[in-house]
Amino acid sequence: MNDQQLREVLAQVREGAMSEADALSKIRMLPFEDVGYAKLDHHRAIRHGMPEVVFGEGKTPEQMVQIAGRLLPHNANILMTRVSPESMIALREAYSDIELLETCRVARFWRDKSSQGKGKLVVMAAGTTDMPVAEEAAATIEVMGTVPLRIYDVGVAGIHRLFGNLEQVMDARAIVCCAGMEGALPSVVGGLVPCPVIAVPTGVGYGASFNGLAALLTMLNSCASNVTVVNIGNGFGAGYVASLINRG
Amino acid sequence: MNDQQLREVLAQVREGAMSEADALSKIRMLPFEDVGYAKLDHHRAIRHGMPEVVFGEGKTPEQMVQIAGRLLPHNANILMTRVSPESMIALREAYSDIELLETCRVARFWRDKSSQGKGKLVVMAAGTTDMPVAEEAAATIEVMGTVPLRIYDVGVAGIHRLFGNLEQVMDARAIVCCAGMEGALPSVVGGLVPCPVIAVPTGVGYGASFNGLAALLTMLNSCASNVTVVNIGNGFGAGYVASLINRG
Amino acid sequence: MNDQQLREVLAQVREGAMSEADALSKIRMLPFEDVGYAKLDHHRAIRHGMPEVVFGEGKTPEQMVQIAGRLLPHNANILMTRVSPESMIALREAYSDIELLETCRVARFWRDKSSQGKGKLVVMAAGTTDMPVAEEAAATIEVMGTVPLRIYDVGVAGIHRLFGNLEQVMDARAIVCCAGMEGALPSVVGGLVPCPVIAVPTGVGYGASFNGLAALLTMLNSCASNVTVVNIGNGFGAGYVASLINRG
Amino acid sequence: MNDQQLREVLAQVREGAMSEADALSKIRMLPFEDVGYAKLDHHRAIRHGMPEVVFGEGKTPEQMVQIAGRLLPHNANILMTRVSPESMIALREAYSDIELLETCRVARFWRDKSSQGKGKLVVMAAGTTDMPVAEEAAATIEVMGTVPLRIYDVGVAGIHRLFGNLEQVMDARAIVCCAGMEGALPSVVGGLVPCPVIAVPTGVGYGASFNGLAALLTMLNSCASNVTVVNIGNGFGAGYVASLINRG
Amino acid sequence: MNDQQLREVLAQVREGAMSEADALSKIRMLPFEDVGYAKLDHHRAIRHGMPEVVFGEGKTPEQMVQIAGRLLPHNANILMTRVSPESMIALREAYSDIELLETCRVARFWRDKSSQGKGKLVVMAAGTTDMPVAEEAAATIEVMGTVPLRIYDVGVAGIHRLFGNLEQVMDARAIVCCAGMEGALPSVVGGLVPCPVIAVPTGVGYGASFNGLAALLTMLNSCASNVTVVNIGNGFGAGYVASLINRG
Amino acid sequence: MNDQQLREVLAQVREGAMSEADALSKIRMLPFEDVGYAKLDHHRAIRHGMPEVVFGEGKTPEQMVQIAGRLLPHNANILMTRVSPESMIALREAYSDIELLETCRVARFWRDKSSQGKGKLVVMAAGTTDMPVAEEAAATIEVMGTVPLRIYDVGVAGIHRLFGNLEQVMDARAIVCCAGMEGALPSVVGGLVPCPVIAVPTGVGYGASFNGLAALLTMLNSCASNVTVVNIGNGFGAGYVASLINRG
Amino acid sequence: MNDQQLREVLAQVREGAMSEADALSKIRMLPFEDVGYAKLDHHRAIRHGMPEVVFGEGKTPEQMVQIAGRLLPHNANILMTRVSPESMIALREAYSDIELLETCRVARFWRDKSSQGKGKLVVMAAGTTDMPVAEEAAATIEVMGTVPLRIYDVGVAGIHRLFGNLEQVMDARAIVCCAGMEGALPSVVGGLVPCPVIAVPTGVGYGASFNGLAALLTMLNSCASNVTVVNIGNGFGAGYVASLINRG
Amino acid sequence: MNDQQLREVLAQVREGAMSEADALSKIRMLPFEDVGYAKLDHHRAIRHGMPEVVFGEGKTPEQMVQIAGRLLPHNANILMTRVSPESMIALREAYSDIELLETCRVARFWRDKSSQGKGKLVVMAAGTTDMPVAEEAAATIEVMGTVPLRIYDVGVAGIHRLFGNLEQVMDARAIVCCAGMEGALPSVVGGLVPCPVIAVPTGVGYGASFNGLAALLTMLNSCASNVTVVNIGNGFGAGYVASLINRG
């Protein structure tokens, strides 16, 4: 549609029906389908070749249901993150084939389960309390075309436990590594594997963990060269980038 | 050598010359060639299939020259980062074929220039003062097998300038994006391109930029899903991960 | 009244009924109408030629109703911000013509709708969750004499969406620009428009957004020269200054 | 030139010499004159109708001289901020009519002294040590077409001193207010005047002033409704916005 | 009692009933009456010549009632701060002559109302929302022997309002000055009066006030020489020190 | 079991049934009993000769009961920290001999009460509100084989009270010292005693205590040489290390 | 002079030579003797009955000499703080009777040595490295009319050393207490003495002392009720307030 | 001497030559030998049975030489930390048998080399740049009676290197573990060994390491139960506590 409008402008220029000055102004305006509260940008999904993603924070159940309704005709897979319990109920009632993952606050339509990645992806969590963030990453990776290997509860204070799983992760194309408290797991994993490690700090911990700030700083200062970092608790972002790497 | 030692232990076990209990203890000990001040770990390079990297901060010129000397027989490409001016001079005198990049404090041996990546990598810098960090990323990417496209001085306050280069970056496999001050460039680029964007905050700015902290927070909070972040000024890390993605 | 008292003092001086020393002391004392819990300062409104503004945080419903009652005889327009739900109900019951804007916690009397500004004002919000802050700014601008153009959901990660609205904002006299997460919108807008941009960080985001601190730092470090900043979530202040610029 | 290129593209479309798809890609690319280290963006000045501004931080004397040389043919007024002492000397030698303001690290060509503003602007400084920042603001305002009223050394701890100057500031169209230490001056001034006050925190102070952070927070939390804030020490930005308000 | 025990030790030494070595150890041990959960230290009150003070935070209603019961026989005036609503009810039921000040969470026995100070004390609050903290200071000052002058709602953004009260504060022996938001009131007052000003930051404000941190920094950086600071919301401490000054 | 598996590998090597390369990979994998949500690591307890410890934060009552059930056959003493009220109830119903310490949120099986330490341990708390943290330390110390001396409510503002207990602590082998607010107790105690002092900051305090950060910094900066620090509120960790010292 | 001008205005009003409206405007304007770079405010000294104080930071030697020259005719005692070494030399050359205290960067004229205080003041320093700050306090106290008792090197880690000096401080009217590192001395002293304690954090310490921030937080959170705090390193302010208390 | 004075007081009491009241006051005063700038506290060493320690920061070469001179007659071992290069030279000239360790800025007299500890101590450093801090710890441990095992350059990013040294550390009585950057080494070591681990964050790292803050937070949040922490760079403190544990 966007292309269509642009082509119309250029057609008008070609036909002499529009001045150059007017054309210049107009071609900077892109079309949107206006739902009122959120301009759905179908183009993003098309541009990136990705499923639609809806950030559920601060949206009402009604809005969530309506947004899903508009997206469904055009998308096989839809990922809704940070979904409130109320929206979970409303979505369940509205759509029978929606999948609700309460632990990680994700709702999704995962209808196209064809594989999109070229290899293996791994999602790690240092402790059981880091699992919600890890599951958000895993749910994201799944709707983007890879079923990741999940390895949970492998924190560095029991480093010998990590080695029981090492063989399985050596051939991954990317690893999402979630950890709270001191957040050292990505450094250790990064020093062992040859692929990119996407570190996700979680808010797990007490006292001077400052809701994930300590883990965040640990990860940013990793002495392993293959570690990059996303925001505290941003399992979605980590899963998204891991999927991009696996599709690239 | 390491393998050799391990094989010797296992051979002794096989031959009954060593008890199981002793073998268990011994196989946990990996051999190192001990220079005294730094245990060079040839295995890391071999494990990751990467050039040797030497972090120059806090090392004396004599140490830098000696480390280079030990690495040269085994490595075609060596990257030395955070090299002091004094070490630059000492390395120049010791090795005629070393390449010194004063702007980004890098010294390197780039003897194997064969291409290792599968596609295009891009290094962006928002302002001219972000160039040293961007150049560290680019120098890293080069010794790892890709000559990246450099696009500098494309900050968001002149967002229209970014579009002049957009076509060139749409097919990159990964983009390293360096920015100081408000650090918004990775968000804008991330919203436009389909590949992973590795954001590098720089210490450029004044007042409340807090030596890169403002840019770091901006990047961590990016609303673009394909952005991950490395430490302030860590061009090397960003280049390293971009190369891994391109080789993967 | 204040002037009257001062004139009385000066009159007494002129008539020799008051010593110079006494006069000096007295003229420093300004009169106030004392409600007990808050000294209403009618003079501020008169001095600035602005509607009365009541900051509702920490005030009881009874206090809010009583303050409104005292102000109504002297003011056509009254803006009450940060109004609690309880105060909303009490105000509704007490005054039939009050307008309640629950989304942005504003209650207002907007009886004089005459235009006071010389041109166009724009209020922008990066995401739908930034709307409450943006609406507080818009509600402020309205009672001060301009109906602003609202442009919402135009965040930088979909920068192409901004361009669809660019033509509309180029002739604004000032723009209020609200954004959470990485808070980059004001920089991008500031680089495109010729008028002052008043940036309002919002608390939207998660993890290392630190309740708006990340967006605040981004905006303070904007490399666009025409950006100034107000406190996190202070839509009122931004709307107030935009109105001053438009009336100036 | 930019317009010319765009017109050529549209002309080619009109003449059928370029396909619509090609045109779409091309019109997103804006031309730049490439100096190598910095893409000078003449369009910004034209777009905003403002003098050229060069941020001198991190630029070599040679670069500064060269940039000035390229800008001079097209601009009557040029403002160079954060100029190093070395660049000052180089600029002095290269250009006889350049004006060097060592106190505030500004170099400028102020050849068009015609008045561009509609009224009065005021620059205030709380203490004598805040003067460099205030002078940067004043120098900016001057090259943008207004000679501001300077009122210095009027800090709040001697609040009675402020009143000696109050009459002079009541009819300003905007006030730039610089203060370090506790940074309370903008709040006091903002409560007295009807125009916008642009607050500039400075790094003056010791101990827990944290290089301007204390003053910055004070200003962001101002209970005066007409105060907006720029970065610590950003006299230029404050002067720029004040000039925009005065020209608007 | 403490003295008695010490005298007994010394008496035993004098009488030869205790060795010197034993005496040395024993005289370091001071007696306490052990309630189990809190060692009541009657000596503190006696040492400082002050009423008993009980910090109510984290104490159960039963503990509060019991502590009051133990203190009442020995003390005319008792001040209990940070009293929970539940403790308020329990104290009311237990003691008919207790005075409950819900606004500032204080319960007190104020039976000796004789004047202990040598002059005037003033308690100021910048806004109505700062009143709870100011009232805690005032309640403290009262039980310590002075009825302070209360001046509330005199913030700096309406600085002219301060002057209406200036004459009344010029002869104070100390001023407690409570302010949230930008916290500038103590600086302004400190610049006008000759006595010590004890500044109390409050948590009032929003966004970047960071629960009183902004006001705290403002006050610590005051350019008025006669300002000292206590913890955020610590009205009690400020009132205590003001009383000491007035009794000294 | 772990040893068994390793011995099997080595046995296969000895018997020629496994290649050396395969053996190398396998011996890095350690066995775990997989409960699904948490890999119980019996080896840790065996390695350290310590009771089992379960961190209760974020675990459901069902999980807590199940984990306890799996651990009980192998362990005499089990310590569960940060136990939620719901888990307390569930554990009580499931196990009649469990001991619930609500104040410090600990549940424990303390069946082996034999003494494991070589001397005296002391747990100190500066105020009564620091007691929950101190009790977590004491409960930990008890299940590890020492009944510590508890000395509570001995804060530095009543430093003379500390001396009444000084004799008792001079022969301790280690002291756990819990304090909130200004957190100065460990410094004072450390300056008096010859043994290691393990300082535990607590979140007690108001305003600028920042939930324990102030006390944490105080303790880290202690000028007493024998003070080390654990996380805010980490009574368990402090008790654990004190026990190690006493057993060492 | 100021009074004179005001009297002239009022005289003109009395004589009918000035309208009331004009008088109102004029009486708000206070006269200043304008040196150009700093408005010397002789009235402050007169108002507070204090010696003149000059803050030397950022002032050139020439300015310092000139300011001293203007103040000398009107003031017996002048205190100059934060004096640079260059200014020290210039002041020495210009004034033979100036006293230079290099350790604490103070220059002063102390010609009127008459006693102004009513009792004893004490200045304490925890360590020898805190002495410069303590000496700034002492030098301030001296020119304000009291020779304070200096007690240095009495840190809390050697708390028994404090008791050797306790008798001397029990009858002080106020105590200035300087400490770096953990900054606990004011809490301990405050718990022992009955007078106000003015705590001065110093930047002494390493690592997580954060240039005095740790000590500042410690002092703000003091559980001793008689402690107030000034800025990091602000010995002058502490000495000033102590003097006010002693004169009050 | 102290004891002597106390005995004299008690003797006088016994003999009736001193009143009880006077005795009480006097026994609180401990004797000091007053050098003028620092009260040397011989008792501390005697109390703790430890060598004398002198903190060299901020002390002049003359002071260092003089302090050493006073301590030498009474102490076999003296440790001077944070010694400036100038003091190094002065100490060398004054004392032929002093040992200067430039790397870690330590000067020491290590004349009594008898073993004081009961077992093995280990000092670890993650990287070569952490060595100065590790060496300060080792130098401290040596003068206190144990020659520690040094294991350097065993960071977590090369975790396999740690295992080569694991056998050596399993029987240590305490381990000092120094690490900068992400500071994860103590967690990993702590999870493997049964003894206390004293973690020392170092300032090594760049960008968001914030001079050791990141490593400090990592260590405080360690999920290994046997880790305690000292201040950034405080190798001395860590070595001191490790020695106490080994002597205990």
Side-chain angles (χ1 to χ4, degrees), chain C residues 51-57 64-65 68 71-72 76-93 95 97-111 135-136 139-140 142-143 236:
Chain C
E52 276 293 340
V53 180
V54 179
F55 184 59
E57 196 88 53
M64 293 296 280
V65 168
L71 293 173
L72 275 168
N77 291 353
I78 301 173
L79 183 76
M80 311 183 101
T81 63
R82 311 272 157 159
V83 182
S84 70
E86 295 74 27
S87 292
M88 285 283 189
I89 293 167
L91 287 165
R92 160 63 75 219
E93 288 174 1
Y95 307 103
D97 66 332
I98 199 166
E99 186 185 5
L100 305 182
L101 310 173
E102 273 88 0
T103 311
C104 58
R105 300 180 54 196
V106 161
R108 67 178 177 187
F109 296 90
W110 185 18
R111 299 186 292 196
E135 276 300 301
E136 190 186 71
T140 302
E142 286 169 349
V143 295
F236 159 69

Side-chain angles (χ1 to χ4, degrees), chain A residues 184-193 195 197 218-229, chain B residues 44 47-48 230 234 236-238 240-241 244, chain H residues 155-158 181-182 206:
Chain A
L185 186 60
S187 285
V188 174
V189 172
L192 293 166
V193 303
C195 71
V197 173
T218 302
M219 292 167 179
L220 285 169
N221 286 286
S222 175
C223 48
S225 309
N226 50 347
V227 174
T228 62
V229 187
Chain B
R44 176 195 290 239
R47 272 201 329 272
H48 285 199
V230 295
N234 189 8
F236 159 68
Y240 192 93
V241 173
L244 289 185
Chain H
V156 294
M181 300 182 92
E182 83 266 64
Y206 49 121

Side-chain angles (χ1 to χ4, degrees), chain B residues 128 153 161 163 167 206 208, chain D residues 25 28 32 37 39 82 231:
Chain B
T128 50
D153 201 27
R161 296 192 289 184
F163 289 89
E167 210 177 35
Y206 49 122
Chain D
S25 303
R28 296 203 165 179
F32 300 95
Y37 40 82
K39 294 181 181 168
R82 311 272 157 159
N231 202 347

Side-chain angles (χ1 to χ4, degrees), chain E residues 22-39:
Chain E
D22 284 357
L24 178 55
S25 303
K26 291 231 184 267
I27 54 190
R28 297 206 164 177
M29 280 173 276
L30 302 181
F32 300 93
E33 188 171 352
D34 202 329
V35 196
Y37 40 82
K39 296 182 180 163

Side-chain angles (χ1 to χ4, degrees), chain D residues 15-97:
Chain D
E15 295 158 8
M18 186 182 286
S19 73
E20 284 160 7
D22 286 356
L24 179 55
S25 303
K26 293 231 185 264
I27 55 191
R28 296 203 165 179
M29 281 173 276
L30 301 181
F32 300 95
E33 188 173 352
D34 203 329
V35 197
Y37 40 82
K39 294 181 181 168
L40 293 178
D41 183 1
H42 298 331
H43 297 283
R44 175 195 289 237
I46 294 163
R47 272 202 327 272
H48 286 200
M50 294 297 167
E52 276 294 340
V53 180
V54 179
F55 184 58
E57 197 86 52
K59 296 207 175 65
T60 65
E62 294 69 35
Q63 289 175 331
M64 293 296 280
V65 168
Q66 188 175 358
I67 291 171
R70 296 190 71 93
L71 293 173
L72 275 169
H74 309 290
N75 296 276
N77 292 352
I78 301 172
L79 183 76
M80 311 183 100
T81 63
R82 311 272 157 159
V83 183
S84 69
E86 295 72 28
S87 291
M88 285 284 187
I89 293 167
L91 287 166
R92 160 65 73 221
E93 287 175 1
Y95 306 103
S96 60
D97 65 335

